[in-house]
């Protein structure tokens, strides 16, 4: 095996320059689970396998969440030939064993590393071992690489391209998630390198919905101006979801809805082995997921902000629109939606709402109530919650 890997490594160096990133893996934003938000460093083989089981039993896999990803803290250094070795206490049967198990459940397996000598939590990084690590991942059956930055001192575009070329040269389709925390404005250069890129700092469970840096609202606010960079094959990543960990039900609903409006990757961060009924209902709301996964692949936009309420629209395939009002405040807010004041054209999709000329039918994503845009709509939206509908033209 070693000899095979070393030969493959040499061949990759010879042939691997500027390989294309794997196509077709990110036609819509990726959906799955990642260990970091809930488990942090307290993660092991048993939890990963139980998570895979729970994703099948709960219906998450069938709702579209197909990647099961371990984050930081999995390695134990390198062997005498420089190959990564996993922590044998956390992962006694090795990484391939877990990947095989996840595959046997009809899902895909993801791993984490960083472009520095060490990962952010101080484990073995990939700097100087890119092709060797890519071959190792392909050999283990890895389908997804989250590649962090962690304070590396090197050229970011070059470093990310190098790892991207390395994984592409293995011939295994591997989703490539660029995760530099938005530090190097990857939206300006990563379109052809990775399948998604982080846009901002970590979403922090402890900051909740409206805390300081890293709260849901803070991360949402830092997506301003980025929608033009995302699209099928290359997505803005405002970080993984914290639904079902610490926030209230309405905050979870609002967080999930807004990430769908952003066409964000839907990477679950909670313990899916222990989910409340409401967490399941939020994460498996097929109307919300359909907005995120819409094949037009155009991120939503904020068109109005007043009195603590934000009005967001996302153009959808076939002339539909997703429309969300986010209540940022903690109090219930009353508002009247006068459709005629929401007539606008979106320069990216080239779609126009034309509420002055057209009547849309709508279905509320959460309550399933139906209505149309003939008359103004009176609403009372609870604090830290959303009103969200899908608008379709009358057929
Ligand atoms: C960084 C990333 C997080 C997580 C940790 C792991 O902070 O942004 O998502 O991967 O590293 O150490």
């Amino acid at each position: 095996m070693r000899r095979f890997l070393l030969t493959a490594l040499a061949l990759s160096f010879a042939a691997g320059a500027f390989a294309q990133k794997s196509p077709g893996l990110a036609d819509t934003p990726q959906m799955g689970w990642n260990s970091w938000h809930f488990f942090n460093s307290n993660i092991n083989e048993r939890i990963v396998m139980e998570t895979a089981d729970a994703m099948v039993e709960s219906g998450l896999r069938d709702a579209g969440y197909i990647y099961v990803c371990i984050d930081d803290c999995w390695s134990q250094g390198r062997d005498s030939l420089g190959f990564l070795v996993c922590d044998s206490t956390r992962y006694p049967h090795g990484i391939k064993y877990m990947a095989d198990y996840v595959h046997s459940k009809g899902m895909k397996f993801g791993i984490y590393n960083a472009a520095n000598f060490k990962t952010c939590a101080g484990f073995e990084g990939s700097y100087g071992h890119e092709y060797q690590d890519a071959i190792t991942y392909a050999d283990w059956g890895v389908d997804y690489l989250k590649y962090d930055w962690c304070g590396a001192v090197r050229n970011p575009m070059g470093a990310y391209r190098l790892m991207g070329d390395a994984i592409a040269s293995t011939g295994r389709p591997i989703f490539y998630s660029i995760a530099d925390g938005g530090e190097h404005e990857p939206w300006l250069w990563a379109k052809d390198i990775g399948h998604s890129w982080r846009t901002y700092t970590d979403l922090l469970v402890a900051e909740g919905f409206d805390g300081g840096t890293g709260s849901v609202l803070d991360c949402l606010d830092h997506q301003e101006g980025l929608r033009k960079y995302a699209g099928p094959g290359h997505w803005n990543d405002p970080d993984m979801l914290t639904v079902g960990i610490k926030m209230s039900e309405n905050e979870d609903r609002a967080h999930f809805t807004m990430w769908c409006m952003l066409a964000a990757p839907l990477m679950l961060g909670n313990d899916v082995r222990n989910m409340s009924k409401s967490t399941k209902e939020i994460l498996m709301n097929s109307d919300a997921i359909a907005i995120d996964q819409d094949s037009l692949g155009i991120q939503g936009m904020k068109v109005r902000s007043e009195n603590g309420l934000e009005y967001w629209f996302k153009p959808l395939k076939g002339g539909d629109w997703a429309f969300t009002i986010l209540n940022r405040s903690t109090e219930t807010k009353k508002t009247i939606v006068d459709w005629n004041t929401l007539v606008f054209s979106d320069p990216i999709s080239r779609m126009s709402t034309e509420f002055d000329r057209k009547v849309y039918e709508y279905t509320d994503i959460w309550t399933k109530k139906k209505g149309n845009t003939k008359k103004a709509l009176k609403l009372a939206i609870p604090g830290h919650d959303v009103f969200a509908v899908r608008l379709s033209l009358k057929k």
Side-chain angles (χ1 to χ4, degrees):
M1 175 56 74
R2 284 273 156 75
R3 188 164 300 156
F4 162 75
L5 286 172
L6 284 172
T7 312
L9 181 61
L11 286 174
S12 301
F13 267 123
F18 303 115
Q20 276 288 306
K21 71 176 183 186
S22 300
L25 290 182
D27 292 342
T28 59
Q30 69 269 36
M31 293 174 67
W33 172 86
N34 173 291
S35 58
W36 186 250
H37 278 328
F38 189 84
F39 294 100
N40 231 264
S41 62
N42 302 314
I43 179 77
N44 58 44
E45 177 182 287
R46 182 183 53 80
I47 297 173
V48 176
M49 290 168 75
E50 286 175 5
T51 296
D53 293 344
M55 288 181 72
V56 176
E57 282 152 24
S58 61
L60 282 170
R61 179 198 62 185
D62 294 342
Y65 298 92
I66 55 154
Y67 289 104
V68 176
C69 303
I70 53 169
D71 207 277
D72 206 346
C73 314
W74 62 266
S75 88
Q76 182 173 275
R78 295 184 181 274
D79 68 12
S80 58
L81 294 175
F83 287 98
L84 282 166
V85 177
C86 82
D87 180 327
S88 55
T89 310
R90 292 175 203 271
Y91 301 111
H93 298 91
I95 302 292
K96 182 162 172 24
Y97 174 83
M98 257 183 330
D100 287 348
Y101 187 76
V102 169
H103 293 153
S104 77
K105 296 275 165 177
M107 291 178 289
K108 296 182 175 193
F109 180 76
I111 208 162
Y112 163 98
N113 213 320
N116 204 350
F117 297 107
K118 295 284 177 205
T119 66
C120 298
F123 292 80
E124 196 65 28
S126 280
Y127 200 160
H129 289 271
E130 289 84 357
Y131 275 79
Q132 189 170 24
D133 292 353
I135 287 166
T136 303
Y137 300 149
D139 188 49
W140 285 343
V142 167
D143 308 292
Y144 186 112
L145 174 64
K146 171 177 170 183
Y147 200 51
D148 210 325
W149 185 249
C150 307
V153 181
R154 59 196 299 200
N155 174 290
M157 185 176 163
Y160 277 104
R161 181 175 278 285
L162 178 62
M163 193 69 215
D165 287 347
I167 54 178
S169 73
T170 66
R172 185 176 175 84
I174 297 179
F175 189 104
Y176 187 28
S177 155
I178 292 177
D180 74 332
E183 227 177 293
H184 311 95
E185 304 185 322
W187 49 89
L188 298 177
W189 48 262
K191 178 171 182 267
D192 298 319
I193 297 177
H195 298 101
S196 66
W197 51 77
R198 283 275 301 279
T199 50
Y200 183 52
T201 192
D202 290 9
L203 186 56
L204 295 173
V205 174
E207 294 301 326
F209 192 76
D210 192 14
T213 302
S215 70
V216 169
L217 288 183
D218 178 50
C219 290
L220 176 67
D221 292 344
H222 281 85
Q223 307 313 307
E224 192 86 41
L226 300 185
R227 70 186 287 259
K228 64 177 177 224
Y229 299 106
H234 51 279
W235 304 101
N236 286 320
D237 175 3
D239 206 1
M240 304 169 292
L241 296 159
T242 56
V243 172
I245 304 184
K246 183 184 167 239
M247 298 188 298
S248 66
E249 183 181 336
N250 46 344
E251 290 171 336
D252 276 350
R253 183 167 42 245
H255 171 28
F256 192 71
T257 307
M258 294 317 298
W259 261 230
C260 292
M261 293 298 284
L262 292 172
L266 298 179
M267 296 299 286
L268 311 174
N270 57 319
D271 181 0
V272 300
R273 302 169 307 166
N274 298 301
M275 288 188 288
S276 68
K277 189 167 167 282
S278 73
T279 296
K280 282 189 201 166
E281 280 168 7
I282 290 169
L283 296 178
M284 287 189 269
N285 181 315
S286 55
D287 290 335
I289 292 172
I291 288 169
D292 180 80
Q293 296 288 301
D294 184 75
S295 61
L296 198 60
I298 297 185
Q299 197 172 311
M301 74 198 118
K302 183 167 57 182
V303 302
R304 182 182 297 171
S305 183
E306 62 188 17
N307 187 29
L309 297 179
E310 286 182 2
Y311 286 50
W312 287 72
F313 281 85
K314 180 179 192 286
L316 303 175
K317 182 97 178 154
D320 286 9
W321 291 90
F323 169 47
T324 295
I325 306 179
L326 166 68
N327 182 355
R328 296 176 67 105
S329 79
T330 50
E331 290 150 30
T332 298
K333 295 259 177 179
K334 290 188 175 162
T335 187
I336 296 175
V337 180
D338 177 355
W339 301 101
N340 286 317
T341 65
L342 292 166
V343 176
F344 71 94
S345 293
D346 166 26
I348 295 180
S349 64
R350 301 217 172 93
M351 280 167 56
S352 306
T353 54
E354 297 181 315
F355 289 122
D356 50 344
R357 303 199 292 121
K358 291 178 176 166
V359 176
Y360 291 80
E361 307 278 358
Y362 62 72
T363 306
D364 189 305
I365 287 156
W366 296 106
T367 66
K368 310 300 173 194
K369 274 192 198 147
K370 290 180 185 297
N372 64 48
T373 58
K374 270 186 200 158
K375 278 194 303 192
L377 175 66
K378 273 194 188 167
L379 295 171
I381 307 171
H384 288 182
D385 209 334
V386 285
F387 166 78
V389 294
R390 184 187 185 105
L391 300 155
S392 306
L393 283 174
K394 263 185 154 175
K395 300 267 151 50

